């Protein structure tokens, strides 16, 4: 069993690291990262930048052990034709890149048989990653911007997960709209529920409230 899968088996009951983590556990919060505003407004992504970075910095401390996971969903030829630059661009310590792990996992989008999921993972610290720039790049993914991660391969998709091994929390900013945060213990993210309750996505707010109710706390 690969390191990431072993960790998930030990602390998250073998949950699959895939989009929509919120719906796989009751120890989760789904935040709305940017509210509905016109895309042609000059500052429409400022809210997304602010919320995604604020939540990240609330969860990750400098001393925490992190696994930075990038899943690329594409065809078999993608990585040979267009190498992925997530780690070379956003990891400060180039010596860490020698520890980068690669594997393939079962296609996480089963309705598209031609796709393969390539998984990259790197153990690091928060200070090793240009996380502000990386989170902004994720927010830009659906827009024409130089920071777009897969700008040369729009037919491919990706997901980036930050796993906090010290606190057993997973942070998944899936795009400029939202962010899923799950934990092995609700108590470790309860402060987010209380402090940023106004940011919780309205569609899932009732479910989150019920999960974090003191009468349903487990």
């Amino acid at each position: 069993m690969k390191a990431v899968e072993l960790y998930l088996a030990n602390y998250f009951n073998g949950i699959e690291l895939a989009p929509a983590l919120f719906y796989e556990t009751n120890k989760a919060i789904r935040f709305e990262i940017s509210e509905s505003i016109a895309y042609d407004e000059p500052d429409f992504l400022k809210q997304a930048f602010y919320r995604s970075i604020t939540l990240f910095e609330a969860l990750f401390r400098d001393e925490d052990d992190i696994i930075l996971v990038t899943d690329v969903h594409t065809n078999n030829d993608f990585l040979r034709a267009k190498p992925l630059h997530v780690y070379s661009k956003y990891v400060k310590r180039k010596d860490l890149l020698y520890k980068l792990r690669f594997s393939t996992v079962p296609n996480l989008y089963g309705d598209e048989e031609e796709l393969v999921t390539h998984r990259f993972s790197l153990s690091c610290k928060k200070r090793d990653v240009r996380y502000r720039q990386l989170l902004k790049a994720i927010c830009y993914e659906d827009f024409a911007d130089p920071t777009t991660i897969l700008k040369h391969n729009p037919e491919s998709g990706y997901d980036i997960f930050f796993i906090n091994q010290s606190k057993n929390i997973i942070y998944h900013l899936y795009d400029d709209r939202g962010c899923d945060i799950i934990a092995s213990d609700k108590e470790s993210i309860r402060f987010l529920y209380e402090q940023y309750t106004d940011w919780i996505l309205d569609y899932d707010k009732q479910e989150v409230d019920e999960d974090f109710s003191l009468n349903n706390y487990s």
Side-chain angles (χ1 to χ4, degrees), residues 52-191:
S52 60
I53 292 170
T54 298
L55 292 171
F56 184 92
E57 292 181 339
L59 289 172
F60 293 85
R61 297 289 181 259
D62 289 341
E63 66 273 14
D64 292 342
D65 294 320
I66 297 173
I67 305 177
L68 174 58
V69 178
T70 304
D71 284 349
V72 182
H73 318 292
T74 186
N75 60 61
N76 282 309
D77 297 327
F78 171 79
L79 294 176
R80 291 191 293 271
K82 298 287 183 181
L84 190 67
H85 295 299
V86 169
Y87 294 89
S88 61
K89 186 174 182 179
Y90 297 105
V91 174
K92 299 176 185 178
R93 287 181 51 195
K94 301 310 175 187
D95 60 302
L96 285 178
L97 299 182
Y98 292 105
K99 300 179 181 180
L100 183 65
R101 297 188 177 189
F102 169 77
S103 63
T104 57
V105 297
N107 178 19
L108 301 178
Y109 295 87
D111 56 338
E112 301 183 44
E113 295 181 358
E114 72 277 8
L115 292 184
V116 174
T117 297
H118 301 276
R119 173 163 291 173
F120 300 83
S121 60
L122 181 69
S123 297
C124 58
K125 302 282 189 179
K126 184 175 106 174
R127 61 177 176 268
D128 298 325
V129 182
R130 296 183 178 90
Y131 64 89
R132 287 173 171 260
Q133 294 92 325
L134 179 52
L135 296 177
K136 287 182 178 181
I138 295 171
C139 289
Y140 270 129
E141 192 57 38
D142 291 331
F143 307 96
D145 187 87
T147 65
T148 301
I149 292 173
L150 293 179
K151 58 186 175 182
H152 298 301
N153 294 82
E155 72 281 1
S156 301
Y158 74 90
D159 291 287
I160 294 178
F161 304 88
F162 291 87
I163 300 175
N164 189 325
Q165 289 184 285
S166 299
K167 297 184 175 74
N168 296 320
I169 295 169
I170 301 175
Y171 173 108
H172 180 217
L173 176 66
Y174 49 87
D175 57 26
D176 63 289
R177 296 167 300 168
C179 177
D180 285 345
I181 295 172
I182 72 169
S184 62
D185 179 0
K186 283 183 189 176
E187 186 63 32
S188 63
I189 58 173
R190 186 168 185 72
F191 76 100

